[in-house]
Amino acid sequence: AWDSDNDGDYDAAAIDEDFDGLFDLWLFDTNNNGVTDLYAVDTNEDGVEDFYAYDGDENGVAELYYADTNADGFIDFYGEDLDENGVLEFYAADSNFDGTVDFWAWDTDQNGAADVWLLDANFDGFPETWLADTNGDGAPDYGWIDSNIDGEVDLIVIDSDFNGAVDIVTGK
């Protein structure tokens, strides 16, 4: 444990949970008030933390989550649970690990499954596809595509009877 300002409250602690000589869990008090508010975990046991949880209001439940899923040293997943109910309301990911977010999702009805998605399929930093699950079955049934990224929708697709097949397509 470390007390960087010698106030008697530890600012950081590291724990080797499996006694292999590598720290698995780090606990941080980022604002020096004596309460842990940032947790870091080494999930793949390579000696480098790759999952983080931040508890900004210090009530013991994290609101923000970050992860380095491919162990390259860069965050490629971000999630928010702002109402602290254990269900992420929002998350974003860098699916091709190029340093730019290309996938966004929201769980607007708080059922544990995303119901709105934005996709950047060509990885240029601008989402061109929007999908929504309007009936809560976990499958998109409405969406639009701006294929040339000119700010105008080129194609709208709708599964009006919620059977998993698109039955209405409109476009220019």
Side-chain angles (χ1 to χ4, degrees):
W2 300 270
D3 180 9
S4 63
D5 57 3
N6 296 315
D7 65 356
D9 290 325
Y10 292 113
D11 307 322
I15 301 168
D16 178 8
E17 294 179 316
D18 56 6
F19 306 105
D20 64 356
L22 297 174
F23 292 123
D24 307 303
L25 174 64
W26 291 263
L27 309 172
F28 299 95
D29 175 12
T30 62
N31 59 5
N32 261 344
N33 69 350
V35 179
T36 298
D37 53 16
L38 178 63
Y39 305 83
V41 182
D42 177 12
T43 60
N44 60 2
E45 297 189 351
D46 65 354
V48 178
E49 61 271 8
D50 45 31
F51 177 81
Y52 307 86
Y54 179 68
D55 179 14
D57 59 11
E58 299 175 338
N59 67 352
V61 180
E63 302 91 27
L64 304 176
Y65 300 87
Y66 308 86
D68 173 12
T69 61
N70 66 343
D72 66 355
F74 297 99
I75 299 297
D76 49 54
F77 175 84
Y78 168 80
E80 293 180 358
D81 178 16
L82 298 181
D83 61 6
E84 300 176 333
N85 67 352
V87 177
L88 296 179
E89 290 92 32
F90 170 77
Y91 49 96
D94 174 11
S95 66
N96 66 343
F97 310 113
D98 68 351
T100 302
V101 172
D102 48 49
F103 177 81
W104 302 261
W106 291 264
D107 179 6
T108 61
D109 58 9
Q110 288 289 285
N111 68 353
D115 44 37
V116 176
W117 302 268
L118 285 176
L119 308 170
D120 178 15
N122 63 0
F123 307 112
D124 65 354
F126 301 98
E128 64 279 327
T129 304
W130 176 85
L131 301 170
D133 172 15
T134 62
N135 68 344
D137 67 356
D141 47 58
Y142 180 83
W144 58 253
I145 299 170
D146 177 9
S147 61
N148 58 0
I149 311 172
D150 63 357
E152 295 182 27
V153 174
D154 304 322
L155 183 66
I156 297 174
V157 293
I158 302 171
D159 174 11
S160 62
D161 56 7
F162 308 113
N163 68 355
V166 173
D167 29 48
I168 300 174
V169 177
T170 62
K172 57 178 181 173

